[in-house]
Amino acid sequence: MSMNETQYLQKIEEAFEWVESQVDHWSAHYDLDLESKRMGSVLEVEFESGQKIILNAQAPTQQLWLASVQGAHHFVWQPEHQDWLDTRGHGLFPQVLLSHAQSIAGLSGLAFLEE
């Protein structure tokens, strides 16, 4: 089932807000110097090292893209998971994001803020 553009943009907004809340949590709880900033359909998370995780909304394909020095991933919304799923079998968006963040921050114990 495909979404209409309004639904897609709502899912992107929810994902971006969730990432921003995680970045705030990581900054406070792990004493990391992180910065997140939005520019249109792009959300950048910059780490102390200057390395970034870049999230990008791809409206024509209704995908969420994630890129960092660890690699690039394309995600599609999966209603049955109520989450974004990697198109090449690397799992759900939160786990992929966490893996990239742990690697860049050098903290294997980095964890999510519990909802």
Side-chain angles (χ1 to χ4, degrees):
M1 180 196 101
S2 68
M3 297 180 277
N4 65 37
E5 186 176 4
T6 302
Q7 292 167 319
Y8 167 74
L9 293 174
Q10 180 62 38
K11 293 298 180 196
I12 289 292
E13 179 62 24
E14 290 169 4
F16 280 14
E17 288 178 0
W18 180 80
V19 170
E20 289 167 335
S21 72
Q22 298 307 322
V23 168
D24 290 345
H25 167 69
W26 293 338
S27 293
H29 192 263
Y30 296 94
D31 195 28
L32 294 173
D33 184 14
L34 300 176
E35 185 178 328
S36 64
K37 62 182 176 184
R38 285 201 214 193
M39 297 156 293
S41 63
V42 176
L43 172 63
E44 284 188 357
V45 178
E46 186 169 355
F47 291 75
E48 297 176 44
S49 63
Q51 292 185 40
K52 297 178 182 180
I53 294 175
I54 300 171
L55 304 176
N56 191 343
Q58 291 294 316
T61 57
Q62 291 196 338
Q63 292 182 338
L64 171 61
W65 289 4
L66 178 154
S68 79
V69 296
Q70 303 301 311
H73 299 270
H74 299 175
F75 299 89
V76 292
W77 181 255
Q78 294 294 311
E80 63 271 20
H81 294 292
Q82 285 298 297
D83 213 331
W84 296 90
L85 184 66
D86 182 83
T87 60
R88 291 178 293 181
H90 292 107
L92 296 173
F93 171 71
Q95 286 72 39
V96 174
L97 173 71
L98 184 61
S99 172
H100 283 245
Q102 288 172 334
S103 179
I104 292 171
L107 288 173
S108 61
L110 196 64
F112 290 131
L113 171 68
E114 296 301 323
E115 299 296 318

